């Protein structure tokens, strides 16, 4: 646990530095209140209430922990602010989908300030509303959120599309896969099974031939834990990894993360598949190439498998630790089965 940056003195210094920049139309700030602090994997969050004479506003301060991103692209508050600002304006004309509203950034402190959007993360809604025997009303509501996620991604890729194409090279793809397979022993993918994976890749590329893919915006971690849902609206978080890749990247990562949710105790495959279908329909991906789609499902399944460490958990309660270890083992089994289905050609449609 690192030292919290959000002590009273530090927050007061930030507020004084911002002055009237956040809400200039509301006049002088009367007082403020720290409502909560949270440490995430790569950042620290501080939620605050700003009190003006005739109104109150709730904001979120996000402090990057760059030391935790040593092997990753270093985040830039200015970059994320500019991306959020651009996207927020573009999404305003669309109902029910957007990003969190950016307010300001402090590059010296590595702090991004956004307006708070009070909502639940989608992964929490899956656990709370979809497992066991969910009511028809809850299932319909969460299904709608996932349809909105697909719609959000479709417009995100439309707004960020560049007039460029990137070659889809088998050599480059194999290089990426080989890096992921190098540590496959830790999650039980036997080396004898690697031959089946390489055979699948060869067959897919034989059918695909030479391809060039559209270059579009890439969220970098588009998953249920980076989506907030409230009533009928969703907002997407954490665009600090934004770059440009092809449209299959974010799409298949989201579906792979949903596949992993089948490991939650009390969850049925049917209910997760309903959410996956809703997401796919929201994105409207009929024109996508099935073989390319399958290759990115394979790539991102291996990616999420490499993230799993059954011995590492932030929880401190022994019961939680036991449950998480059990769930992660189940998750590995689901992902390995997902790859096996690709090889057996059981995934006959995009999902």
């Amino acid at each position: 646990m690192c030292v919290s940056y959000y002590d009273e003195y530090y927050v007061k210094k930030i507020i004084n530095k911002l002055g009237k920049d956040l809400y200039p139309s509301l006049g002088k700030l009367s007082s403020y209140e720290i409502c909560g602090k949270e440490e995430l994997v790569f950042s620290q969050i501080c939620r605050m209430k700003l009190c003006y004479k005739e109104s109150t506003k709730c904001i979120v301060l996000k402090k990057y922990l760059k030391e935790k991103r040593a092997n990753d692209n270093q985040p830039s508050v200015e970059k994320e602010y500019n991306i959020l600002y651009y996207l927020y304006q573009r999404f305003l004309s669309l109902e029910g989908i957007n990003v969190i509203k950016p307010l300001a950034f402090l590059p010296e402190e590595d702090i991004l300030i956004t307006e708070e959007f009070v909502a639940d993360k989608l992964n929490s809604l899956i656990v709370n509303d979809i497992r066991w025997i969910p009511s028809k009303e809850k299932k319909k509501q969460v299904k709608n959120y996932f349809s909105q996620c697909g719609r959000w991604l479709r417009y995100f890729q439309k707004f960020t599309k560049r007039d460029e194409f990137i070659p889809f090279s088998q050599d480059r793809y194999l290089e990426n896969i080989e890096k992921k397979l190098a540590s496959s022993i830790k999650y039980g993918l036997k080396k004898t099974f690697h031959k089946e994976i390489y055979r699948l890749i060869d067959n897919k590329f034989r059918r695909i031939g030479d391809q060039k893919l559209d270059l579009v915006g890439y969220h970098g971690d588009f998953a249920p834990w980076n989506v907030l849902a409230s009533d009928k609206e969703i907002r997407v978080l954490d665009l600090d990894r934004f770059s440009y890749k092809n449209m299959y990247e974010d799409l298949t990562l989201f579906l792979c993360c949903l596949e992993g949710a089948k490991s939650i105790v009390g969850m049925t495959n049917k209910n997760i598949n309903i959410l996956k279908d809703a997401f796919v329909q929201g994105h409207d991906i009929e024109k996508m190439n099935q073989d390319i789609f399958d290759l990115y499902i394979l790539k991102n399944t291996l990616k999420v498998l490499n993230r799993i460490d059954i011995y590492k958990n932030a929880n401190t309660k022994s019961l939680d630790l036991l449950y998480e270890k059990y769930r992660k083992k189940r998750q590995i089994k689901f992902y390995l089965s997902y790859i096996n289905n690709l090889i057996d050609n059981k995934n006959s449609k995009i999902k």
Side-chain angles (χ1 to χ4, degrees):
M1 186 80 170
C2 66
V3 176
S4 174
Y5 292 97
Y6 295 123
D7 58 39
E8 195 71 31
Y9 172 79
Y10 188 68
V11 171
K12 188 175 182 178
K13 182 181 175 182
I14 292 168
I15 294 298
N16 288 337
K17 187 171 184 177
L18 289 167
K20 296 180 180 180
D21 292 346
L22 292 183
Y23 297 101
S25 63
L26 298 179
K28 187 177 179 181
L29 181 67
S30 303
S31 62
Y32 67 88
E33 177 186 345
I34 298 177
C35 303
K37 303 174 186 178
E38 182 181 6
E39 182 168 332
L40 305 177
V41 177
F42 299 116
S43 62
Q44 285 188 335
I45 303 296
C46 179
R47 290 177 173 80
M48 297 181 60
K49 182 188 290 185
L50 306 181
C51 302
Y52 297 88
K53 186 177 180 180
E54 296 181 359
S55 180
T56 61
K57 293 287 184 178
C58 294
I59 64 171
V60 176
L61 279 62
K62 176 182 176 183
K63 168 75 179 180
Y64 290 123
L65 302 176
K66 290 191 174 183
E67 63 274 16
K68 298 281 191 77
R69 295 277 291 270
N71 298 320
D72 203 349
N73 293 328
Q74 289 296 309
S76 161
V77 289
E78 183 175 6
K79 173 188 171 183
E80 186 172 7
Y81 173 84
N82 289 334
I83 292 163
L84 286 171
Y85 183 83
Y86 170 77
L87 290 172
Y88 186 81
Q89 301 301 322
R90 296 302 301 267
F91 275 106
L92 276 176
S93 61
L94 301 171
E95 184 180 352
I97 52 177
N98 211 320
V99 295
I100 52 170
K101 184 178 181 180
L103 297 175
F105 67 93
L106 301 173
E108 292 181 6
E109 290 82 2
D110 282 322
I111 287 179
L112 173 69
I113 303 168
T114 59
E115 198 165 71
E116 183 170 19
F117 180 69
V118 180
D120 294 310
K121 289 188 177 182
L122 273 187
N123 57 314
S124 297
L125 290 178
I126 291 173
V127 173
N128 296 330
D129 294 350
I130 295 299
R131 64 176 178 167
W132 305 118
I133 306 175
S135 67
K136 289 183 179 179
E137 184 180 343
K138 283 186 176 181
K139 191 185 290 188
K140 181 180 179 181
Q141 185 179 38
V142 178
K143 180 182 174 182
N144 180 64
Y145 291 146
F146 278 86
S147 176
Q148 293 290 68
C149 281
R151 183 167 162 253
W152 183 92
L153 183 60
R154 171 160 48 104
Y155 280 100
F156 168 71
Q157 293 174 339
K158 178 182 177 182
F159 294 152
T160 57
K161 184 179 177 182
R162 303 178 71 169
D163 294 327
E164 298 177 47
F165 299 92
I166 50 175
F168 186 43
S169 159
Q170 182 171 358
D171 289 341
R172 192 168 180 179
Y173 179 87
L174 280 171
E175 184 181 346
N176 186 287
I177 292 296
E178 284 167 357
K179 288 179 182 178
K180 291 175 170 56
L181 288 176
S183 57
S184 63
I185 192 69
K186 75 175 185 180
Y187 51 79
L189 183 61
K190 296 178 181 178
K191 286 195 175 182
T192 53
F193 198 58
H194 291 193
K195 292 181 180 179
E196 297 294 329
I197 290 174
Y198 287 127
R199 190 177 294 114
L200 170 72
I201 294 169
D202 283 339
N203 290 338
K204 295 289 183 183
F205 272 99
R206 196 176 296 116
R207 285 199 292 268
I208 292 167
D210 294 330
Q211 284 276 350
K212 289 186 177 181
L213 304 178
D214 290 328
L215 196 62
V216 298
Y218 170 61
H219 180 285
D221 193 23
F222 189 57
W225 49 82
N226 279 327
V227 181
L228 292 172
S230 175
D231 296 329
K232 294 183 179 179
E233 184 178 9
I234 67 156
R235 301 239 181 146
V236 176
L237 304 167
D238 290 353
L239 280 107
D240 56 280
R241 289 181 173 85
F242 178 90
S243 61
Y244 288 94
K245 293 191 178 184
N246 68 71
M247 66 172 61
Y248 294 90
E249 291 277 10
D250 277 331
L251 177 74
T252 54
L253 177 62
F254 192 92
L255 289 169
C256 288
C257 292
L258 263 181
E259 183 71 17
K262 291 179 179 179
S263 65
I264 299 168
V265 174
M267 191 67 66
T268 66
N269 292 2
K270 180 181 177 181
N271 283 340
I272 293 298
N273 287 337
I274 285 171
L275 300 183
K276 290 171 77 173
D277 282 337
F279 174 70
V280 165
Q281 290 166 12
H283 192 280
D284 188 21
I285 57 179
E286 292 179 2
K287 296 180 181 178
M288 287 200 178
N289 183 296
Q290 179 71 57
D291 290 314
I292 298 176
F293 178 88
D294 288 346
L295 287 170
Y296 276 97
I297 285 288
L298 171 63
K299 176 186 172 183
N300 277 314
T301 302
L302 292 172
K303 178 179 180 178
V304 292
L305 271 167
N306 274 283
R307 288 178 177 177
I308 299 173
D309 185 345
I310 61 173
Y311 300 105
K312 186 177 180 182
N313 196 334
N315 293 326
T316 55
K317 295 179 181 179
S318 58
L319 188 60
D320 289 340
L321 287 168
L322 288 171
Y323 170 74
E324 281 302 302
K325 188 174 181 179
Y326 169 73
R327 188 187 63 80
K328 286 176 182 178
K329 286 182 177 180
R330 278 170 54 87
Q331 201 171 43
I332 289 170
K333 287 181 180 179
F334 275 108
Y335 282 135
L336 293 179
S337 176
Y338 205 27
I339 293 173
N340 195 58
N341 286 343
L342 277 175
I343 290 169
D344 291 343
N345 201 27
K346 292 178 182 177
N347 288 9
S348 58
K349 65 175 183 177
I350 291 176
K351 185 173 74 173

